[in-house]
Amino acid sequence: MEAVRRYDILDTPPDGAFDRVSALAARLFDVPVATVTIVDSDRIWFKAASGLDGVSQIGRDPGLCASAILADGATVIPDALADPVACSNPLVAGSMGVRFYAAAPITTPDGHRLGTVNILDTRPRVISEAEMETLSDLAAIVLDEMELRLSALKAVRTEQERRKAEQRARTQAERDKASLAAFASTLQRTLLPPALPVVPGLELACHYQTASPQDVGGDFYDVFPLGGARWAFFLGDVCGKGAEAAAVTSLTRYTLREAAQHHEEPEAVLAALNTALLLDASIGSRFCTCLFGFLEPAADGGFNVTVASGGHPPAYRLHTRPGGGAEVEPVHIKGGMLVGAFEEAAFTSRTFHLGPGQGLLMYTDGLTEARLADGTMLGESGVAAFLARRTGPADATALVDDAVALIQGLPQDVGDDVALLALSVPPVQAVGGHGVSATAHTTAAPVPVDATGPSGEKD
């Protein structure tokens, strides 16, 4: 019975190969009925039958086939009415009136008899040894077909299992990818300010996008109060991506915020960050570039800005000329070294005035390393040339919007994270003594989400 189940043949639909065996047996032996049967635990099931319409199975006991599979070789009953077992079979005692029966067992290679190939006649007769060998050959052909069918079934099932396994793997990979993206997005939000503050007389705007939704970016920025009318800001980029970069980003952000409360010079703040990164053994060889600055209100409604550089690309100060076009000044700060790379790192600062109608744009190197159509990088010169071609106002909102438009207009996706932070002082006639708030957002995909100030009202 286990062998019968293994071949999975019971109750399968008609099959041409088995039907041809029963038809061939009927012709070879000139009998009205020939069958291919499988013996189940309580029935005889007909896989194929020639000359036996409307019958798909009969009870096992008393049975011709059930008796035949108990013998090692072929079974021959010349006159069924004279046989004490066969005489009560429905095919013999019933209207069909079978008198002759011969069967060859369908035997597996490991010796299990699954059923029989049978020939039946309504008159008594004898069969020669050569004819019995032919009947045995037909039974062997049936087994060969069953083996082929079993091999095909196994192949199909193996393929189905493989596809199911692949589908499960794909589904799990998609779930893992979605979970990783959600985790990266959540972690990224914890590394950036949830909203830019309201700074009286100053407009703020920012933009952040990561190169991949699965990676936590290493870019960071912040603007925060220091007490009185003084403010601090920073923007930077940690080497690398992922959890380790996130750890450096977190340490960097909180160290800069804390150090700014205790140092009057921005280069001293970067020096404190340099020491903190070198002292933390978990950081390893991670370092960062950074712009850190202080803002103090000036009498003309603008701000005096003192900014230090730790190996970061220059910021750009802009204002619109009276006749149109933009005047662009790179804020170069020579001598600033990478933060967290060397114990004796030196940092320098520069002080300048940001007057009414002027703006300041800061960015990470994901912008300068973006590729043009010919494969070359945009570079600092490309950023400066783009800003010089601007025709709009120099307010923070417009600066960020135009920089985002530049990124989106490039023929290739940006290969690195990009962070933008813009500050601007409204023109004198627009200054009303109030500040601008902007909510900072992060995105894990190359589709930018902006946070801008009052001109665009994209809060």
Side-chain angles (χ1 to χ4, degrees):
M1 287 300 98
E2 290 178 2
V4 169
R5 301 295 183 265
R6 183 173 72 238
Y7 282 86
D8 198 13
I9 191 74
L10 290 170
D11 298 313
T12 55
D15 188 307
F18 297 99
D19 290 340
R20 282 190 290 274
V21 169
S22 63
L24 180 61
R27 289 198 303 273
L28 284 174
F29 294 98
D30 190 24
V31 294
V33 177
T35 64
V36 176
T37 61
I38 304 296
V39 178
D40 199 358
S41 58
D42 58 354
R43 61 175 176 158
I44 307 297
W45 179 75
F46 293 83
K47 175 58 183 172
S50 176
L52 192 62
D53 297 331
V55 179
S56 60
Q57 64 183 38
I58 59 175
R60 176 167 174 167
D61 294 319
L64 299 173
C65 297
S67 300
I69 63 167
L70 298 179
D72 291 332
T75 297
V76 179
I77 302 177
D79 188 349
L81 288 178
D83 188 277
V85 175
C87 64
S88 59
N89 188 277
L91 298 179
V92 176
S95 59
M96 188 174 177
V98 171
R99 297 290 298 277
F100 168 78
Y101 172 80
I106 303 168
T107 307
T108 67
D110 52 351
H112 298 293
R113 294 181 287 276
L114 308 176
T116 53
V117 173
N118 315 281
I119 52 175
L120 301 91
D121 203 344
T122 56
R123 57 186 178 83
R125 58 182 292 180
V126 294
I127 187 172
S128 68
E129 184 175 341
E131 289 175 320
M132 285 306 306
E133 290 179 357
T134 299
L135 190 61
S136 296
D137 288 340
L138 291 176
I141 291 174
V142 169
L143 182 68
D144 290 343
E145 286 294 329
M146 291 178 66
E147 290 285 355
L148 290 173
R149 181 182 177 279
L150 180 60
S151 296
L153 281 176
K154 288 179 177 179
V156 169
R157 287 168 179 167
T158 299
E159 178 65 16
Q160 289 175 339
E161 288 301 319
R162 185 187 65 80
R163 291 183 179 181
K164 289 178 181 178
E166 289 179 352
Q167 182 59 46
R168 288 193 296 269
R170 282 194 297 268
T171 301
Q172 187 61 48
E174 290 171 359
R175 289 174 181 170
D176 292 344
K177 183 178 179 180
S179 297
L180 182 59
F183 171 76
S185 178
T186 301
L187 180 56
Q188 192 75 71
R189 286 195 295 271
T190 67
L191 302 176
L192 297 171
L196 294 178
V198 175
V199 180
L202 192 69
E203 179 180 327
L204 308 176
C206 61
H207 167 86
Y208 190 88
Q209 72 180 62
T210 59
S212 169
Q214 279 74 49
D215 286 328
V216 181
D219 294 5
F220 57 89
Y221 59 83
D222 204 353
V223 180
F224 56 95
L226 295 173
R230 297 178 70 240
W231 293 79
F233 65 90
F234 59 79
L235 175 138
D237 182 7
V238 169
C239 171
K241 298 181 184 299
E244 292 183 2
V248 181
T249 301
S250 180
L251 176 61
T252 297
R253 183 179 177 216
Y254 290 108
T255 299
L256 290 174
R257 275 181 159 261
E258 179 64 23
Q261 307 295 329
H262 303 285
H263 297 282
E264 295 295 327
E265 299 80 23
E267 56 265 42
V269 174
L270 290 183
L273 174 61
N274 188 70
T275 300
L277 293 180
L278 290 172
L279 287 176
D280 194 323
S282 64
I283 296 303
S285 61
R286 299 282 180 170
F287 56 85
C288 70
T289 65
C290 185
L291 288 175
F292 181 90
F294 291 130
L295 297 166
E296 294 189 31
D300 65 349
F303 285 82
N304 293 322
V305 183
T306 303
V307 59
S309 175
H312 200 81
Y316 287 94
R317 182 170 57 164
L318 304 92
H319 74 268
T320 305
R321 297 190 184 98
E327 182 176 329
V328 181
E329 176 195 355
V331 183
H332 288 296
I333 306 172
K334 296 182 179 180
M337 301 174 69
L338 293 173
V339 186
F342 309 101
E343 290 185 7
E344 302 299 329
F347 306 103
T348 56
S349 66
R350 174 179 171 181
T351 299
F352 59 91
H353 182 66
L354 193 66
Q358 295 183 344
L360 182 69
L361 176 66
M362 294 165 282
Y363 55 90
T364 55
D365 61 7
L367 178 62
T368 55
E369 293 177 0
R371 299 285 175 174
L372 302 175
D374 60 0
T376 60
M377 291 192 298
L378 181 64
E380 294 175 13
S381 60
V383 174
F386 163 75
L387 294 174
R389 292 193 300 269
R390 293 181 67 255
T391 57
D395 63 79
T397 301
L399 286 174
V400 167
D401 284 347
D402 289 349
V404 170
L406 170 63
I407 295 171
Q408 292 178 331
L410 294 174
Q412 302 180 38
D413 290 336
V414 176
D416 196 5
D417 309 326
V418 176
L420 304 173
L421 179 62
L423 320 174
S424 65
V425 181
V428 174
Q429 64 269 25
V431 175
H434 64 278
V436 178
S437 65
T439 302
H441 299 279
T442 64
T443 175
V447 180
V449 178
D450 302 326
T452 61
S455 309
E457 288 302 327
K458 292 197 214 170
D459 191 58

